[in-house]
Amino acid sequence: MNKACYANTTKEFSMSMVSQRDPHFNRLYITAFILALGLALSVLVVLQFAQGQFQRDIENWQIRLSLIADSRLNDVDGWLEAQFGELQNIAQNTSVRRFVGSNTTADDAMGIDTPTQEVYLRHLLTISAQRSGFSAPLANNPLNENPMVNSGGIAVLNMQGEVRIATPNMPPLQGKLAEFVDSATPAESNMMDMISNADGADLRMGFLLPIYDVQSVDQTSAQVGWVMGVKQVDDSLFNLLRHPGVIEASLETVLLRPENGGVSYLSPLADGTKPVRKHLAMPDSLMSDGSLAAAFAVQEPGQFGIYTDYRQNKVLVTGRKVPGTNWWVMTKVDENEALGDAVATRNALIALLLLVVAVVFAVIIAAWRHGTSRDASRLAARLDAALKKAKIREDMLALVTNTQPSSIFIVNGAEIVCFANDAFAERVKLSQQEVLGKKLEGLLGPVTAMEYERASTAALQDEKTIIWTHRERVEGVEHITRVKHIPLNHLPMSNVPVGTKGVLVLEQDITAVVTEREKRARTLRDLVDTLVAMVDRRDPYAANHSLMVATLSREVAQGMELEAPMISTAEIAGTVMNIGKMEVPAEWLTKPGALNEQERKAIRDSLLESANLLEGVEFDGPVTDTLRQSLEHWDGSGPQKMNGEDILITARIVSAANAFIGMVSPRSYRKAMPVDDALEILMKAREKEFDRKVVVALANYIDNHGGRDMIANLIKKPDNKN
């Protein structure tokens, strides 16, 4: 027996015998069931009560963390607004605006000579920098490559980013400062995010506000310069992250910044890590209780969750986005500290309850064993009889399928083989018994098994037969198999639980059939190529015309995303369209002057003659109908008066491709037309002679997918023509 497919046999038969027991045992089971149900309800009530208390504690912390996060966010946002506000006062100063707006330092609208004006403005900037903390000294400058003693200050720049006037401590515009100024958005407030020097000892930020001409309103076109501030980031910002009155030792608010596929911690951490010195990778997805708390705060601002912090501690966490920046505020507290008492109470209650459950169930199991012992032998006998019956049915199934030359096997929903005939066992070089219970992956290999599993899954989900073709090369010989997957609502084997679904897989070797068909297709193509070559020799001015039409038709059909048979039909029709020219006198095809009406009609009707000559040839698609309908016009003015969508799409494609190639190819009586002129003619004729969708697809190929190169490579002009 196949143990993998019959694993539920004993359980199914045990359930079927409950109703046949003695009344005494039935009463015993009913009593045991009532006791178990009552116990289950009691467990449920106690668990719900304990969980309710625990959930209320979590909700209280959610509210508290949200209030703290909102409070810290407001303070950080206020700190940023204060920096911009100080610089805004300078940007709106009339003297500063006039000074920056002047073309030369001698241009002083205030009536004060330039040196005096510069001294006044430098004094103004210095006082503002000292008052707002922009002038703090620094040992090493992280903003550019040259170390300086002082790296903070305020400067006024013109629109070219040149310093007009600055405080003594203002660093030169080099390195990252220069990059910040060059990338600034005009007429907007710009902020350079905090960066540190190599050892992380110092942090700096930059702020840039526009200065407008004194005679204009605040418009981008009226901007004359910038006011720039470079500030040391210190405890004046980081102290704002400490919430007053907090007694929990693990409660911490941190400033975050996502970058380089991870999260950087901008503020000092409780473990002693300095600002901007810790960077952790961002996980691909958030999983509660397992992912990084900082990643949750950044990806789900305003939400509350339980995640793992940078110290690998499980924490309650929430986050907020700082407006106008790439910063997030994260507030967290260790779960052990926040919920320790609640967890201890809940665990104690659950432990007590489990003890009671264990005692009660011990009593119930003892009673149950007493009641079932008398039925064990009866159940075993019935099970043995059922398994023998199943074996007989399985042997019959094997007898029938083993007479078939094709491989036949059955798999369940887990892709385990429940049945296989001799042909399949021979294919995988195992016996039938060795095949049963094995997964397809182990029998066919992972790549082939994946294809089979995909088809079986589709058959079960859609409840319909799936047919596909499998190709593989074995010892240098290609084998082609037609595989059919038939869904089964119930495996045709006894003792398998009702509703056990599976798939019957039939394999048929069609290598010989497919090989013969491909050989026939190659022969047909060789014959067509020979006929086309004969036509091209009779009309040297139209040499390669069929190849170009076929190539262009194929590319247009592919661009319109037609199905493969229709793409092939368009290409073949373009290839054979000129075969009918064999009925046209050669002197007409090479006539140096203009053709008369009779000659033009003969060449035009050669398309129909091509269709007549090929009428008895078996193509995979409507090639001859495509040739006949390629003379039709979209508006119905063609020979058969067909119009619009009634015309085969392949005919509409060949018609446009033939017209275009004819225009851009030289003839005995005219030169080739430029490609752009030919495209313009097609565009004018859309919705009249040609399908608009076809014309658009053709123009797209010509302009965007190498069509011009194809034409240049294939057109062959006679030696005596330009």
Side-chain angles (χ1 to χ4, degrees):
M1 295 297 291
N2 184 354
K3 295 182 179 180
C5 294
Y6 295 98
N8 294 324
T9 300
T10 303
K11 178 181 178 181
E12 181 183 355
F13 269 78
S14 298
M15 296 296 295
S16 67
M17 294 187 63
V18 170
S19 59
Q20 303 179 23
R21 298 184 184 278
D22 294 338
H24 169 73
F25 290 102
N26 287 338
R27 288 193 297 272
L28 179 62
Y29 296 142
I30 292 174
T31 302
F33 173 76
I34 294 175
L35 289 175
L37 180 61
L39 182 60
L41 292 175
S42 300
V43 170
L44 180 61
V45 170
V46 174
L47 287 177
Q48 286 182 341
F49 174 77
Q51 187 61 29
Q53 292 291 338
F54 184 73
Q55 190 62 36
R56 278 191 289 275
D57 289 334
I58 293 179
E59 291 173 356
N60 290 336
W61 267 107
Q62 180 177 356
I63 295 172
R64 184 179 178 191
L65 287 183
S66 296
L67 292 175
I68 295 175
D70 290 338
S71 173
R72 298 307 91 213
L73 172 64
N74 290 335
D75 286 354
V76 171
D77 193 38
W79 184 87
L80 291 172
E81 290 180 358
Q83 313 313 311
F84 280 112
E86 186 65 35
L87 297 181
Q88 186 65 36
N89 292 334
I90 298 175
Q92 294 177 350
N93 184 280
T94 303
S95 299
V96 173
R97 296 170 68 182
R98 286 175 175 169
F99 178 77
V100 179
S102 63
N103 294 326
T104 65
T105 57
D107 182 8
D108 182 12
M110 296 178 61
I112 306 174
D113 59 359
T114 298
T116 303
Q117 185 182 7
E118 291 182 356
V119 170
Y120 163 73
L121 293 179
R122 185 175 292 107
H123 183 65
L124 172 65
L125 297 183
T126 302
I127 293 176
S128 298
Q130 292 174 348
R131 180 177 61 246
S132 57
F134 277 96
S135 61
L138 181 66
N140 294 301
N141 178 16
L143 300 177
N144 53 69
E145 297 177 354
N146 300 322
M148 297 185 60
V149 176
N150 298 310
S151 293
I154 299 176
V156 174
L157 318 176
N158 60 18
M159 288 304 295
Q160 290 73 40
E162 300 169 344
V163 177
R164 294 294 306 275
I165 192 167
T167 61
N169 293 334
M170 184 67 186
L173 295 186
Q174 300 175 1
K176 294 187 178 180
L177 274 182
E179 295 175 7
F180 172 49
V181 174
D182 292 341
S183 62
T185 303
E188 291 186 8
S189 298
N190 296 268
M191 184 186 83
M192 184 181 72
D193 211 338
M194 65 173 69
I195 59 173
S196 66
N197 59 359
D199 60 5
D202 298 301
L203 296 176
R204 282 294 183 273
M205 290 182 62
F207 303 88
L208 197 64
L209 276 74
I211 301 175
Y212 299 97
D213 187 80
V214 72
Q215 300 296 331
S216 63
V217 296
D218 291 354
Q219 297 178 348
T220 305
S221 59
Q223 183 179 348
V224 295
W226 300 95
V227 57
M228 180 177 186
V230 178
K231 185 181 183 66
Q232 180 183 16
V233 182
D234 53 19
D235 290 343
S236 64
L237 171 62
F238 298 140
N239 286 340
L240 298 177
L241 300 176
R242 300 186 179 93
H243 191 73
V246 173
I247 61 174
E248 286 77 13
S250 63
L251 195 145
E252 183 180 10
T253 299
V254 180
L255 204 58
L256 306 172
R257 178 176 66 201
E259 58 183 347
N260 300 327
V263 180
S264 290
Y265 295 76
L266 303 182
S267 58
L269 301 179
D271 64 356
T273 303
K274 294 181 179 180
V276 197
R277 303 308 294 171
K278 184 178 287 294
H279 180 88
L280 297 179
M282 188 84 73
D284 294 335
S285 61
L286 292 176
M287 298 178 293
S288 181
D289 297 342
S291 294
L292 185 64
F296 170 77
V298 169
Q299 296 181 13
E300 301 291 340
Q303 301 300 313
F304 174 84
I306 302 177
Y307 290 88
T308 301
D309 70 357
Y310 59 87
R311 298 172 299 177
Q312 299 302 311
N313 293 338
K314 190 177 292 185
V315 295
L316 313 181
V317 61
T318 188
R320 299 292 187 274
K321 176 72 165 62
V322 180
T325 70
N326 193 32
W327 293 355
W328 273 256
V329 170
M330 176 185 71
T331 301
K332 64 180 183 66
V333 63
D334 285 2
E335 182 187 42
N336 290 337
E337 183 177 14
L339 303 175
D341 293 340
V343 171
T345 301
R346 184 187 62 177
N347 291 343
L349 185 60
I350 292 175
L352 178 61
L353 182 60
L354 290 178
L355 179 60
V356 175
V357 169
V359 173
V360 173
F361 263 91
V363 175
I364 294 176
I365 290 173
W368 187 271
R369 289 192 61 185
H370 176 72
T372 57
S373 59
R374 296 179 56 185
D375 297 325
S377 57
R378 187 194 310 172
L379 179 61
R382 295 190 61 184
L383 176 60
D384 183 64
L387 294 179
K388 289 180 180 179
K389 184 178 180 181
K391 187 65 171 64
I392 293 174
R393 292 184 177 181
E394 188 172 356
D395 290 343
M396 180 61 68
L397 180 62
L399 179 63
V400 173
T401 57
N402 284 338
T403 62
Q404 303 298 318
S406 301
S407 296
I408 302 174
F409 62 94
I410 297 175
V411 293
N412 61 13
E415 296 302 320
I416 295 176
V417 177
C418 299
F419 172 81
N421 69 346
D422 285 340
F424 180 76
E426 182 179 354
R427 176 190 168 190
V428 298
K429 296 180 175 55
L430 294 173
S431 67
Q432 278 186 303
Q433 291 302 317
E434 290 174 331
V435 169
L436 299 181
K438 288 184 170 57
K439 298 199 69 170
L440 278 182
E441 182 177 1
L443 297 171
L444 304 180
V447 177
T448 302
M450 185 180 299
E451 296 180 291
Y452 277 74
E453 291 172 10
R454 187 182 299 113
S456 294
T457 301
L460 287 174
Q461 290 179 347
D462 300 338
E463 296 184 349
K464 65 178 183 181
T465 300
I466 302 295
I467 301 176
W468 60 290
T469 301
H470 174 64
R471 290 174 177 259
E472 66 177 345
R473 185 169 293 276
V474 180
E475 297 180 354
V477 179
E478 185 178 39
H479 293 269
I480 306 173
T481 307
R482 182 174 180 266
V483 187
K484 180 183 293 187
H485 296 252
I486 304 173
L488 304 174
N489 290 328
H490 175 66
L491 295 182
M493 304 169 201
S494 182
N495 300 337
V496 176
V498 176
T500 300
K501 296 184 177 182
V503 178
L504 173 65
V505 182
L506 307 177
E507 297 180 317
Q508 181 181 5
D509 189 347
I510 58 173
T511 304
V513 176
V514 173
T515 302
E516 180 62 27
R517 184 176 63 186
E518 292 176 348
K519 179 181 178 182
R520 188 168 63 250
R522 288 194 301 270
T523 301
L524 177 61
R525 188 59 187 237
D526 292 342
L527 176 60
V528 168
D529 291 342
T530 301
L531 294 175
V532 171
M534 293 175 61
V535 174
D536 289 345
R537 284 197 296 270
R538 296 185 75 246
D539 185 4
Y541 284 93
N544 283 341
H545 180 88
S546 301
L547 174 60
M548 295 170 65
V549 173
T551 302
L552 184 56
S553 298
R554 181 191 68 235
E555 296 295 339
V556 172
Q558 289 176 343
M560 298 179 69
E561 298 182 352
L562 300 185
E563 295 181 354
M566 301 307 289
I567 296 174
S568 177
T569 297
E571 181 180 12
I572 293 175
T575 303
V576 302
M577 62 179 298
N578 285 332
I579 289 178
K581 283 187 177 181
M582 289 188 296
E583 300 293 330
V584 179
E587 60 269 18
W588 292 4
L589 298 175
T590 59
K591 183 177 180 180
L595 301 177
N596 59 36
E597 181 59 30
Q598 178 186 3
E599 294 165 343
R600 284 197 301 271
K601 184 176 185 303
I603 293 177
R604 184 174 59 250
D605 291 347
S606 65
L607 265 175
L608 299 178
E609 187 61 29
S610 298
N612 294 335
L613 290 174
L614 298 171
E615 187 67 47
V617 180
E618 293 185 7
F619 295 99
D620 290 337
V623 174
T624 55
D625 287 341
T626 296
L627 292 175
R628 291 192 176 94
Q629 296 182 23
S630 62
L631 295 176
E632 300 303 309
H633 297 165
W634 178 265
D635 60 1
S637 60
Q640 302 180 58
K641 307 303 179 185
M642 299 177 66
N643 69 317
E645 299 290 342
D646 293 338
I647 306 172
L648 286 172
I649 181 60
T650 51
R652 285 178 263 153
I653 292 174
V654 172
S655 175
N658 184 38
F660 178 78
I661 295 300
M663 288 187 284
V664 300
S665 301
R667 291 293 181 262
S668 60
Y669 54 87
R670 63 166 173 81
K671 297 180 180 180
M673 181 182 297
V675 170
D676 292 330
D677 294 348
L679 286 176
E680 183 177 357
I681 292 175
L682 285 184
M683 286 295 182
K684 291 180 179 179
R686 67 184 187 276
E687 302 293 352
K688 296 178 182 179
E689 185 174 351
F690 306 111
D691 182 358
R692 178 182 60 82
K693 298 187 295 295
V694 172
V695 173
V696 171
L698 187 149
N700 179 55
Y701 168 69
I702 295 298
D703 288 333
N704 302 316
H705 299 285
R708 294 178 186 268
D709 293 338
M710 182 274 289
I711 294 171
N713 292 332
L714 293 182
I715 288 181
K716 294 182 179 179
K717 302 178 181 179
D719 296 337
N720 61 342
K721 295 294 177 182
N722 295 325

